Amino acid sequence: MIDNLHEQIKIWFAEDIGDGDHTSLSCIPATAMGKSQLIIKEKGVLAGVEIAKEIFKAFDPELKIEVFINDGAEVNPGDIVFVVEGKILSLLQTERLMLNIMQRMSGVATVTRKYVKQLEGLKTRVLDTRKTTPGLRLLEKEAVHIGGGVNHRIGLYDMILLKDNHVDFAGGIDKAILSAQNYLKEKGKSLKIEIEVRSFDEIEQVLKLGGVDRIMLDNFSVENTKKAVELIAGRFETESSGGITFDTLRAYAECGVDYISVGALTHSVKSLDMSFKAVK
């Protein structure tokens, strides 16, 4: 969960409410009490309940929340996730922020679960990427986790990933790896090193030099991925990336790679439909 979640929630509310929810203030008495329930309108995987609880608590600590379905559960239209009771003004002003977060996170978790199920019976795990919504990365990565996927690096700071541009600018595979190793030693940091390769020649260079934790096979065909995994022979972790779709996912996994990174888990997800309605 986001370390500074409460500060982030303040920013989200400031963006939405501004100098006041004049619609609600104009027609709802300040002391009026009521209940609202979160209703699922589309089949999927639920995510964001814990974040929703923090949103309600941050806005109005007196709101009472009764949760019936928790994060990670598979839900269907008509399911009631939770009921919130308290000031109606608070229910109305928290509604959209809570829904935006939960719909987005549930959409990510739903797609992730679909990919994870596609790999049932195989050792390969599905990874997310940095192709996330600015400001929502940690929530989206939490949703991937809830959906059964694995988080790749969170950002540029928690892993060294030498991609094609890094290799080319550094002057080649060997120079990129050696520079990364020296950097970590000088800075006293302990970070995993992953390197992207584009050909069998580059794989051979990595195998000869060593000093990395994982090799990313970039835009390899299924046939070449199988050959690459056999060549690497378990000496390093392997990851397939680039141009892999849901339809080709299992074929790549059957090659024996440890991970497959899928940008589609976060960059083009449809939010899961749900609504927050008054309980009459």
Side-chain angles (χ1 to χ4, degrees):
M1 193 176 292
I2 298 178
D3 292 334
N4 63 339
L5 181 60
H6 288 173
E7 290 303 313
Q8 190 65 56
I9 289 173
K10 290 179 182 178
I11 294 172
W12 290 336
F13 275 127
E15 175 186 62
D16 196 34
I17 297 176
D19 69 346
D21 173 13
H22 301 302
T23 305
S24 298
L25 292 170
S26 69
C27 62
I28 304 297
T31 57
M33 307 293 284
K35 294 181 182 180
S36 290
Q37 58 187 5
L38 183 67
I39 306 170
I40 299 298
K41 301 174 70 176
E42 183 179 8
K43 184 179 177 64
V45 175
L46 186 67
V49 173
E50 294 304 311
I51 303 298
K53 288 162 65 175
E54 293 299 321
I55 289 172
F56 290 126
K57 180 181 177 181
F59 189 83
D60 183 349
E62 294 185 2
L63 288 174
K64 297 178 181 179
I65 309 161
E66 185 175 8
V67 177
F68 305 113
I69 306 176
N70 292 306
D71 287 334
E74 296 189 5
V75 291
N76 296 287
D79 285 348
I80 307 298
V81 176
F82 53 66
V83 172
V84 186
E85 181 177 3
K87 290 182 179 180
I88 294 176
L89 284 176
S90 295
L91 298 176
L92 291 170
Q93 290 175 94
T94 54
E95 174 183 346
R96 179 44 55 193
L97 174 56
M98 176 275 295
L99 282 173
N100 286 347
I101 294 297
M102 288 203 64
Q103 288 179 305
R104 177 66 182 172
M105 289 185 68
S106 296
V108 171
T110 298
V111 171
T112 301
R113 184 71 55 83
K114 178 183 176 183
Y115 276 79
V116 168
K117 286 185 174 181
Q118 184 73 346
L119 299 183
E120 284 184 347
L122 302 175
K123 72 168 187 176
T124 309
R125 304 295 303 277
V126 177
L127 291 176
D128 56 23
T129 70
R130 286 169 52 240
K131 297 175 182 177
T132 54
T133 307
L136 295 181
R137 177 175 297 175
L138 294 183
L139 293 185
E140 291 176 348
K141 283 183 170 284
E142 174 64 16
V144 167
H145 175 72
I146 290 170
V150 177
N151 295 143
H152 204 296
R153 56 179 179 162
I154 300 300
L156 296 173
Y157 56 86
D158 59 338
M159 183 181 190
I160 286 185
L161 176 47
L162 301 167
K163 302 201 74 176
D164 53 358
N165 280 338
H166 298 97
V167 170
D168 291 342
F169 282 130
I173 292 286
D174 287 10
K175 288 183 178 179
I177 293 174
L178 291 172
S179 293
Q181 292 173 335
N182 290 333
Y183 175 85
L184 291 178
K185 186 176 181 179
E186 290 171 4
K187 298 297 182 181
K189 290 185 174 293
S190 178
L191 299 177
K192 285 191 172 184
I193 298 176
E194 178 174 5
I195 188 161
E196 179 181 275
V197 296
R198 297 160 287 186
S199 66
F200 285 99
D201 179 59
E202 290 188 340
I203 293 176
E204 292 284 5
Q205 291 179 59
V206 176
L207 294 178
K208 183 178 179 180
L209 180 64
V212 301
D213 299 281
R214 186 183 302 171
I215 297 175
M216 177 190 288
L217 307 171
D218 181 50
N219 284 300
F220 277 54
S221 66
V222 171
E223 181 182 359
N224 284 341
T225 297
K226 189 173 187 301
K227 292 178 181 178
V229 170
E230 292 172 353
L231 180 61
I232 296 167
R235 282 173 280 182
F236 305 100
E237 291 181 338
T238 53
E239 175 185 337
S240 285
S241 179
I244 300 172
T245 67
F246 179 78
D247 292 332
T248 61
L249 184 76
R250 191 170 180 89
Y252 275 93
E254 288 172 342
C255 295
V257 293
D258 297 299
Y259 301 100
I260 297 176
S261 51
V262 181
L265 298 185
T266 54
H267 73 56
S268 56
V269 168
K270 175 186 175 297
S271 294
L272 193 72
D273 196 10
M274 57 185 73
S275 61
F276 195 50
K277 295 298 183 182
V279 178
K280 298 181 181 180

